[in-house]
Amino acid sequence: MADTNAKLTVNGEEYELPIIKGTLGRPVIDIAALQDSGFWSYDPGFKVTAPVESKITYIDGGKGELLHRGYPIDQLANNAEYLEVAYALIHGDLPNAEQKADFFEKIRKHTGVHDQLRKFFEGFRRDAHPMAIMVGVVGALSAFYHEDLDVSNEDHREITAIRLIAKMPTLAAMSYKYSQGEPFMYPRNDFNYAENFLYMMFATPADIDYKTNDVITRAMDKIFTLHADHEQNASTSTVRLAGSTGANPYACIAAGIAALWGPSHGGANEAVLEMLDEIGSVENVPAFMEKVKSREVKLMGFGHRVYKNFDPRAQVMKETCDEVLAALGINDPKLELAMALEKIALEDPFFVERNLYPNVDFYSGIILKAIGIPTSMFTVIFALARTSGWISHWLEMHSAPFKIGRPRQLYTGETHRDFVKVENRK
Ligand code: CMC
């Protein structure tokens, strides 16, 4: 609600810009009145720009606070299942018992994928990165559900959200199985969401009774919850921007997966493990830190655009990390190296002065490695989990009128030139 105005004077003209307050966080200055001012606003990296109003997730980077639908992330991660959190992201609140049973049942019903989708997998090389496969096959889902792709139809939107959340673990596990040359394992609907994913990843026809233990299943589910949503980050903004054209949701989520893949975003969990490989052993940490300080490399899994104190997801993740390592009795030099790196970075003035703390990807990479998930699947797991957040934002956007996203630019290229025929060009 606008209760006061900011004033901006440009070229002697004064503009009244409404200040709008949300329920939490910084108010925003509505700059729509600049439309006729002859100026655009300029904010590379969207450092101070809020392109949307949203009710889904709130982050206070200074306090290290993350709320989904008003609930603190640690309470959700420690008490709720991922699918309950997904329900809250979509519907506005956690489900009651009846809503939970209904939602879980709907998800269970849609875990399978069309058998013809296998052929898409076969079109990829065996050594394709699973994220490359995911970008392709999730986008390809739009070719299988023509009849439910009217984005103006609420029922179509709802069934698509269910399908996406239900099928992501199946597709993710298929992308892994394909890379291993192993047969795909069909979903087991008697398992819970995390258990089913682990089953499809690790069971084989020769070991059909594969069952994981509760600590691992719970850790997997927490990893899903901790990655479920993170307000207007790069991939979510990509999903919204793609969605703003009226594109179908499978295509929008595929765009989100592509945006997530980069090492500055979801690709960081994989990059953490690659970095540990590069460092090799604890003795090499000081030399590596020198390279970080001279800006030759970044310390992957550290730092965040929004969190400048601590990442509340990383705190829960660290506890889970300790539980998993203790439960599995793992004694892996790579994990020791990670812990040494964390200790040094937390004490080193370079990191302390810049408020650089371990982020969610630092610990999730370590847990996933301990569980036996191959590094190339780390970002796929992030994408699987973030699908509930992406689709919630897509649904929120479609629940009210919206405009196509169309940023402006500061043009610094050549000014008007006369065309010269190729033979006369120097
Ligand atoms: N290692 C070394 N220095 C760093 C790092 C890092 N990981 N992150 C930031 N810095 C330095 C940076 O060089 C700059 O120093 P100076 O002011 O002296 O030039 C200062 O800290 C501020 O950094 P920035 O680049 O302005 O920060 P940003 O908000 O633009 O970038 C970031 C945020 C996440 C892209 C960055 O911290 C980074 O690249 N981290 C490593 C990748 C990573 O772990 N990404 C996962 C983020 S969490 C998962 C998710 O939500 O996507």
Side-chain angles (χ1 to χ4, degrees):
M1 187 202 275
D3 54 4
T4 174
N5 287 342
K7 288 187 174 53
L8 178 72
T9 307
V10 196
N11 281 353
E13 186 86 33
E14 189 173 86
Y15 293 88
E16 296 255 344
L17 306 176
I19 294 178
I20 308 175
K21 281 190 185 152
T23 47
L24 285 171
R26 279 196 199 191
V28 301
I29 300 174
D30 179 348
I31 57 169
L34 297 184
Q35 173 78 19
D36 301 323
S37 68
F39 293 88
W40 304 129
S41 63
Y42 182 58
D43 178 25
F46 297 109
K47 285 195 148 190
V48 294
T49 297
V52 297
E53 178 192 326
S54 181
K55 294 182 169 56
I56 301 174
T57 290
Y58 172 74
I59 301 176
D60 183 326
K63 279 199 210 153
E65 185 173 69
L66 167 62
L67 310 177
H68 293 318
R69 298 295 189 182
Y71 298 103
I73 188 64
D74 57 321
Q75 290 185 24
L76 291 173
N78 291 324
N79 301 298
E81 287 176 64
Y82 167 73
L83 284 184
E84 290 177 85
V85 176
Y87 180 97
L89 292 172
I90 293 173
H91 294 284
D93 201 353
L94 290 162
N96 62 28
E98 198 184 319
Q99 290 162 335
K100 177 176 168 179
D102 178 57
F103 184 69
F104 279 41
E105 182 53 25
K106 281 185 184 148
I107 297 288
R108 253 196 297 275
K109 256 197 202 145
H110 288 278
T111 49
V113 294
H114 196 290
D115 211 46
Q116 219 175 328
L117 204 73
R118 292 167 163 271
K119 299 224 163 65
F120 275 85
F121 284 85
E122 285 159 18
F124 286 97
R125 288 169 51 131
R126 288 275 176 198
D127 61 357
H129 194 287
M131 279 299 275
I133 299 181
M134 291 303 281
V135 173
V137 296
V138 173
L141 287 178
S142 43
F144 289 81
Y145 301 105
H146 302 289
E147 67 286 4
D148 296 320
L149 279 186
D150 175 2
V151 297
S152 65
N153 180 319
E154 202 179 331
D155 294 340
H156 289 195
R157 297 200 298 264
E158 197 206 319
I159 184 67
T160 305
I162 297 282
R163 282 192 175 124
L164 273 160
I165 295 171
K167 293 180 199 315
M168 281 301 274
T170 313
L171 295 173
M174 285 171 87
S175 71
Y176 171 62
K177 287 296 195 190
Y178 184 74
S179 71
Q180 297 300 296
E182 288 180 14
F184 299 136
M185 297 303 291
Y186 287 111
R188 285 269 307 262
N189 291 350
D190 52 329
F191 285 158
N192 70 33
Y193 194 79
E195 234 175 352
N196 189 32
F197 171 64
L198 291 166
Y199 167 81
M200 290 187 286
M201 283 283 295
F202 295 122
T204 60
D207 181 16
I208 197 91
D209 292 328
Y210 166 90
K211 192 143 181 22
T212 180
N213 76 45
D214 286 348
V215 176
I216 293 180
T217 308
R218 187 70 199 118
M220 196 71 247
D221 195 73
K222 266 192 199 180
I223 288 179
F224 292 160
T225 296
L226 293 168
H227 287 88
D229 192 41
H230 215 227
E231 52 118 303
Q232 314 308 323
N233 55 82
S235 57
T236 303
S237 299
T238 301
V239 170
R240 281 190 182 255
L241 196 56
S244 78
T245 69
N248 81 70
Y250 300 107
C252 298
I253 300 297
I257 296 173
L260 184 76
W261 194 356
S264 295
H265 193 5
N269 50 18
E270 185 175 342
V272 169
L273 268 286
E274 282 164 4
M275 175 185 75
L276 296 178
D277 277 339
E278 190 193 326
I279 300 174
S281 62
V282 178
E283 319 77 87
N284 300 333
V285 169
F288 184 80
M289 285 303 197
E290 284 316 307
K291 284 212 265 180
V292 173
K293 289 179 195 174
S294 61
R295 297 196 175 59
E296 259 177 83
V297 289
K298 274 194 171 171
L299 191 58
M300 300 314 288
F302 274 70
H304 200 274
R305 168 60 63 80
V306 179
Y307 297 119
K308 298 298 177 194
N309 189 348
F310 64 91
D311 179 342
R313 302 168 301 171
Q315 285 197 326
V316 182
M317 204 65 100
K318 184 172 167 45
E319 286 161 23
T320 310
C321 186
D322 293 342
E323 275 165 34
V324 169
L325 297 187
L328 297 179
I330 285 188
N331 192 7
D332 181 335
K334 193 79 69 63
L335 303 176
E336 255 175 55
L337 171 58
M339 295 307 147
L341 205 60
E342 178 208 26
K343 190 171 178 314
I344 294 170
L346 286 174
E347 290 164 0
D348 191 304
F350 178 90
F351 295 92
V352 175
E353 280 159 19
R354 288 172 179 76
N355 296 319
L356 298 171
Y357 297 88
N359 59 47
V360 68
D361 286 326
F362 186 73
Y363 300 111
S364 66
I366 296 169
I367 302 176
L368 291 172
K369 177 168 173 21
I371 293 177
I373 306 263
T375 317
S376 63
M377 284 298 291
F378 289 6
T379 314
V380 173
I381 287 172
F382 193 155
L384 180 174
R386 184 55 59 85
T387 296
S388 59
W390 287 330
I391 203 67
S392 306
H393 285 269
W394 182 86
L395 288 167
E396 182 178 68
M397 188 176 80
H398 276 278
S399 66
F402 60 88
K403 292 214 178 291
I404 185 170
R406 177 56 172 91
R408 302 290 181 160
Q409 66 171 358
L410 172 65
Y411 177 70
T412 53
E414 295 293 337
T415 57
H416 308 88
R417 292 161 143 182
D418 284 327
F419 179 78
V420 181
K421 284 194 165 178
V422 66
E423 57 273 25
N424 298 331
R425 280 180 220 154
K426 290 195 189 119

